[in-house]
Amino acid sequence: MAALYEGYTLCGRVSGQSLSDSGIRGIEVERDGDHVIVTDSSRSVTLYKVSDQKPLSTWTVKQGQSFSCPAVYNSQTKEYVAVSDSKVVRIWKEEDMLLEKVFKATVSSEIWRVHSVPGGEPVVLFKSGAVRLLDYLLSAPQQPIEEIVSQEETIWWSTNVVAESQQFVIFTTEQKGDHFLYLQRLNPNTFQRYHLEREEPGLSPLSFCASYRDKHISLLYLYPNGHLYQSALSVRNQAVDSEGVQALPLSRSLLLSLPVGEGPLEAASALLLDEAHVAVVGVPHPSAGTGKDFLCIWNTNFQTLQAGKEMAGKIYGQLWTYSNKLFIPHGKTLSVIPYECPKSCLASALGKLRQAKTEERSAGPAVPSWNYTLHGETAQPPRTAPTRKTQRATRKTQSAPDLTADQLLQLIKTAPLEEVQKEVEGFLSRADGPDLQLSAGQLASALVSRSLANPAFYASNVLVQLVHTQFLSHSVCPDLILLALERKDYFLCQLCLQFFPDIPEAVTCACLKTFISMPDADAEKVSLEPDGISFMEALMAGEHGETSVQNGFSPGDGKDCSDALRGDDAAKSSAAPEQICPVQLHKAALLNEVLLTAYTDTFLLPHLKDLSSQHIILFLQYLHYLYLRLCQDASLQKPGVRSPSVTQIMDWICLLLDAHFTVLVMTPEARDLLMGLHTFVKSQVRLVSELGKMEASFQELDKMQVKRDVGQNSIEIIELL
């Protein structure tokens, strides 16, 4: 059964020109599915690495200019292509900083869209309906552009599809209430025009999508009345290149009849995920109330809703998909929602597909039964004479059947703690993935609500099991972490920091403040995950030991970290305390979980300012200690063990200094600490400088085109002048 997993925010949404405008003009894939180009409706193009949720580069046109269509990536030349002010084509590389200094060409006719496919040459579609390959257009930018569509026709939507090693450009137009579709073939440059069947009077399609499969181009289009139609276009039809060609009727079939609620759909979109699943946004959930916006996955083979996720904020009817991730702007954010669409079958569509058990009974039936004789089902083991104890257990089991999720929710409200724990644990042991995905959040919310209302009720073990299912997130159960902090359940806090991908910066700072202010006596009693403890034990075990030599290099003998490790007289005076962890073992493991939590600098800084100067100094001392120990022995960071990296430590140090710089400068206790931080900042600057020199050397080597045969066991000396 299809599933929507917990999403995360890729970036904040740029405000559009109106309330109905998302501010995003388009999203295109770059070198791979983990890199996307986001073009906003103002003046910017930004490259994001999706898995890191961070922008890599941003390019902006000057004031008064704007991008006319989404920027695309030319995989053949490793360049970006965009159009500004409808006629100016701009081409640049990732290292280019200013768009005013990149290649620009002004064409003779207004451009509607530039399309690109991996491994193919970008295609330019003009508002007149004409199509040109980018290289051919740039060879003579002022070449005349023919008129394919009439002056009364307006292009609504376009895309390009690769079918049978040929590129096709598909676009739809509207003329006086009639809608047409053009299938444009490249090389030879011919086209075919189709006429879409009329829907109810006054209804125009809200969205289109197209894909190639089974030797046909499949076109999906959604109407405001909830009707989702599918049409098949043959790529082998003889297209024509004459003007005034008559439009052929385009047959269609009703794929889905989606719910529309109280009125017609206004901002909705449907996107084909595979041959049996469609993602729909802006369409009401059949079982949810009005006024709620959902992202849903429908099974087209069995007409069933298989996954749904409520989206906070306004929906703008925009949806993109790359590498099993859905990109959807809503409210003030652009979210990424991972999804999965297993192969469609009737059992999965009805939610009755069960996972195969890992432990199968190997023994044959000891007692024949009709089930085994007729159906080959495994019989029960031979019966033994029942005792009074087993009879009582049997009667109790028969009188108390397994509870459903809805019954559990009612039980949680009033039942004693022991009964709640027993029933929920039993439900978790027998529930499969799809059922548990839907009910885990409801159960956790019910448990948290009762715990907040009743201080005597707290089901810690059950909440830990629910977090371990990885079906929870902060957005699903927003009060869980705060409840764990209130009850001093630091083990549950640690699990939430590990498994929740969407923890707000305010909650992260609340955890940091609680951990850093925890008395050492209380910290020693905390039970935590063994990985974090083992990492800190290894870190503290080498505080006074000899620095290990790795690959013939010892950081203590080198110069890249010499200031940080040995330093001048000021650094030497504070070297001894720096080599001893300033916090207790368990407290350090909890602080490491905070360092590993995702955050955005802009949102985190205001909350860091709420920390006291004593807490800031202690936290900086711990970060300084971590940095020195990891510089001394890089082997401490083992694969598979959760441990902060040097980059994460440096980022947090910069954030703390930005938030409390004036306070730290004016605090006498912070003087030695700031001196020590200053020394290793200098070492980092020197390290980066040396790396820059190495990069320049490698670039010079790369430019050398001389190729000659070199023996396998030879040494080649290359001199850089």
Side-chain angles (χ1 to χ4, degrees):
M1 191 164 112
L4 289 168
Y5 297 107
E6 206 53 48
Y8 49 88
T9 299
L10 181 63
C11 63
R13 183 183 60 82
V14 178
S15 299
Q17 298 179 355
S18 64
L19 295 177
S20 60
D21 183 8
S22 70
I24 296 177
R25 192 172 295 276
I27 301 175
E28 296 287 335
V29 69
E30 203 226 19
R31 69 199 73 172
D32 54 40
D34 197 33
H35 294 78
V36 295
I37 313 165
V38 179
T39 306
D40 61 43
S41 56
S42 56
R43 303 184 296 126
S44 299
V45 172
T46 306
L47 171 64
Y48 288 93
K49 186 173 182 182
V50 180
S51 58
D52 291 345
Q53 306 173 44
K54 289 185 178 180
L56 302 181
S57 299
T58 300
W59 303 274
T60 307
V61 294
K62 65 182 182 180
Q63 189 73 29
Q65 298 176 341
S66 63
F67 289 106
S68 309
C69 61
V72 299
Y73 181 69
N74 187 349
S75 59
Q76 293 182 336
T77 61
K78 306 297 187 294
E79 294 175 328
Y80 304 93
V81 183
V83 179
S84 61
D85 303 322
S86 299
K87 285 190 175 183
V88 181
V89 180
R90 299 173 186 258
I91 301 177
W92 71 93
K93 291 183 177 292
E94 186 174 356
E95 57 268 19
D96 295 327
M97 301 299 294
L98 299 176
L99 290 185
E100 296 306 314
K101 296 183 179 181
V102 302
F103 173 83
K104 292 184 289 186
T106 303
V107 297
S108 59
S109 183
E110 290 188 348
I111 295 175
W112 163 260
R113 186 78 182 265
V114 179
H115 292 288
S116 181
V117 293
E121 183 180 347
V123 179
V124 179
L125 172 62
F126 290 87
K127 291 184 178 180
S128 64
V131 174
R132 293 287 190 278
L133 291 172
L134 181 62
D135 286 348
Y136 181 77
L137 175 64
L138 296 181
S139 64
Q142 290 298 316
Q143 61 184 274
I145 303 300
E146 66 274 14
E147 297 285 340
I148 300 297
V149 302
S150 64
Q151 294 183 354
E152 297 178 345
E153 284 185 81
T154 304
I155 298 180
W156 274 39
W157 166 85
S158 65
T159 188
N160 67 328
V161 174
V162 176
E164 299 183 358
S165 302
Q166 285 190 332
Q167 280 202 61
F168 291 83
V169 175
I170 306 171
F171 62 93
T172 62
T173 63
E174 188 270 339
Q175 180 183 9
K176 296 180 180 180
D178 288 322
H179 291 269
F180 301 91
L181 181 137
Y182 290 79
L183 179 62
Q184 180 88 35
R185 183 196 301 267
L186 301 177
N187 194 24
N189 196 349
T190 55
F191 73 93
Q192 182 64 64
R193 186 175 186 234
Y194 296 91
H195 181 251
L196 274 65
E197 292 185 29
R198 280 182 175 269
E199 192 65 6
E200 299 175 14
L203 293 185
S204 298
L206 293 174
S207 72
F208 291 89
C209 72
S211 64
Y212 176 73
R213 70 173 188 265
D214 298 333
K215 298 182 180 180
H216 286 81
I217 295 177
S218 177
L219 180 73
L220 262 66
Y221 41 106
L222 175 65
Y223 281 90
N225 58 5
H227 289 178
L228 181 64
Y229 292 101
Q230 181 180 32
S231 297
L233 304 173
S234 175
V235 298
R236 297 185 178 181
N237 286 346
Q238 182 62 39
V240 297
D241 56 4
S242 60
E243 298 182 0
V245 61
Q246 294 296 323
L248 299 177
L250 183 63
S251 60
R252 68 184 186 184
S253 59
L254 182 61
L255 197 62
L256 284 174
S257 183
L258 299 170
V260 296
E262 298 178 352
L265 304 176
E266 296 180 356
S269 181
L271 198 61
L272 188 66
L273 302 180
D274 60 19
E275 65 275 4
H277 295 92
V278 175
V280 180
V281 67
V283 176
H285 194 286
S287 60
T290 59
K292 296 181 179 180
D293 290 318
F294 277 82
L295 169 66
C296 300
I297 296 181
W298 288 79
N299 188 302
T300 58
N301 288 347
F302 304 105
Q303 308 283 304
T304 56
L305 175 62
Q306 296 207 332
K309 184 177 183 64
E310 184 178 357
M311 308 304 298
K314 181 179 176 58
I315 292 290
Y316 302 94
Q318 292 179 304
L319 191 62
W320 296 269
T321 178
Y322 301 109
S323 299
N324 280 30
K325 299 181 183 68
L326 291 167
F327 297 78
I328 172 173
H330 61 101
K332 296 183 179 181
T333 60
L334 172 62
S335 293
V336 181
I337 312 293
Y339 70 90
E340 182 183 10
C341 292
K343 188 175 180 180
S344 176
C345 66
L346 182 58
S348 64
L350 297 176
K352 300 299 182 181
L353 183 63
R354 295 291 183 263
Q355 299 295 328
K357 300 295 183 181
T358 56
E359 297 180 0
E360 297 286 350
R361 294 185 181 270
S362 57
V367 179
S369 67
W370 284 109
N371 285 334
Y372 181 81
T373 304
L374 297 176
H375 308 292
E377 297 177 2
T378 304
Q380 298 297 325
R383 299 181 180 180
T384 58
T387 63
R388 291 186 178 182
K389 183 176 180 181
T390 57
Q391 286 177 344
R392 287 196 302 267
T394 302
R395 286 196 298 267
K396 184 176 181 181
T397 302
Q398 292 175 350
S399 62
D402 294 337
L403 298 181
T404 64
D406 293 336
Q407 292 172 332
L408 272 180
L409 293 176
Q410 296 299 323
L411 182 73
I412 291 173
K413 295 179 180 180
T414 57
L417 176 62
E418 294 76 11
E419 185 178 355
V420 170
Q421 288 180 335
K422 177 182 177 181
E423 294 296 340
V424 176
E425 289 174 356
F427 177 80
L428 295 178
S429 64
R430 64 178 181 268
D432 59 0
D435 292 338
L436 192 56
Q437 181 181 5
L438 297 174
S439 56
Q442 296 175 336
L443 294 175
S445 299
L447 290 169
V448 170
S449 298
R450 184 175 177 186
S451 299
L452 292 173
N454 183 8
F457 182 90
Y458 184 60
S460 176
N461 294 336
V462 175
L463 291 173
V464 167
Q465 293 183 43
L466 286 170
V467 173
H468 270 299
T469 63
Q470 300 189 30
F471 289 136
L472 292 185
S473 66
H474 183 271
S475 58
V476 171
C477 191
D479 295 326
L480 177 57
I481 299 180
L482 297 180
L483 173 66
L485 292 176
E486 178 185 336
R487 300 298 178 93
K488 296 183 179 181
D489 190 350
Y490 300 116
F491 178 65
L492 181 59
C493 289
Q494 183 188 30
L495 292 181
C496 293
L497 291 173
Q498 290 180 5
F499 292 119
F500 287 7
D502 58 345
I503 299 178
E505 285 75 3
V507 177
T508 301
C509 283
C511 293
L512 172 60
K513 187 175 182 179
T514 302
F515 297 159
I516 202 72
S517 59
M518 185 195 313
D520 289 342
D522 294 343
E524 292 178 357
K525 304 175 183 178
V526 176
S527 298
L528 300 176
E529 285 283 305
D531 286 346
I533 297 296
S534 62
F535 168 72
M536 288 308 305
E537 288 176 344
L539 205 69
M540 294 179 178
E543 287 176 350
H544 304 288
E546 295 294 330
T547 303
S548 60
V549 178
Q550 301 168 7
N551 297 327
F553 172 74
S554 174
D557 298 332
K559 294 184 179 181
D560 56 343
C561 291
S562 59
D563 284 347
L565 300 179
R566 293 179 295 173
D568 51 17
D569 294 338
K572 288 179 180 178
S573 63
S574 60
E578 289 169 354
Q579 296 300 313
I580 299 176
C581 185
V583 298
Q584 194 267 349
L585 174 68
H586 294 76
K587 184 187 294 188
L590 290 172
L591 292 176
N592 290 345
E593 297 296 343
V594 175
L595 299 180
L596 293 168
T597 305
Y599 64 87
T600 302
D601 300 2
T602 306
F603 300 143
L604 186 64
L605 271 174
H607 300 289
L608 287 178
K609 294 180 180 180
D610 295 336
L611 297 177
S612 65
S613 59
Q614 291 78 9
H615 292 159
I616 289 296
I617 293 174
L618 180 59
F619 195 26
L620 282 173
Q621 289 174 344
Y622 175 65
L623 293 174
H624 193 192
Y625 165 80
L626 278 182
Y627 172 82
L628 295 178
R629 292 293 298 119
L630 293 180
C631 274
Q632 287 178 345
D633 192 353
S635 65
L636 293 170
Q637 292 184 303
K638 299 179 181 179
V641 177
R642 287 178 59 84
S643 59
S645 64
V646 174
T647 302
Q648 290 171 322
I649 296 171
M650 293 293 294
D651 289 342
W652 271 92
I653 290 175
C654 293
L655 285 169
L656 292 172
L657 293 177
D658 289 343
H660 292 269
F661 181 75
T662 304
V663 175
L664 291 172
V665 170
M666 300 297 292
T667 304
E669 294 83 359
R671 180 180 179 278
D672 293 340
L673 174 63
L674 293 178
M675 293 288 291
L677 294 175
H678 177 65
T679 57
F680 82 73
V681 167
K682 289 197 303 182
S683 72
Q684 288 291 312
V685 172
R686 182 162 56 250
L687 175 62
V688 172
S689 176
E690 295 299 326
L691 291 175
K693 295 177 183 179
M694 294 175 61
E695 181 183 14
S697 301
F698 287 132
Q699 288 177 351
E700 292 297 325
L701 287 173
D702 189 56
K703 293 178 182 179
M704 299 175 63
Q705 301 296 328
V706 180
K707 294 183 179 180
R708 57 184 179 274
D709 295 333
V710 180
Q712 293 182 351
N713 299 319
S714 63
I715 298 176
E716 183 180 6
I717 300 176
I718 301 176
E719 183 177 358
L720 298 176
L721 301 178

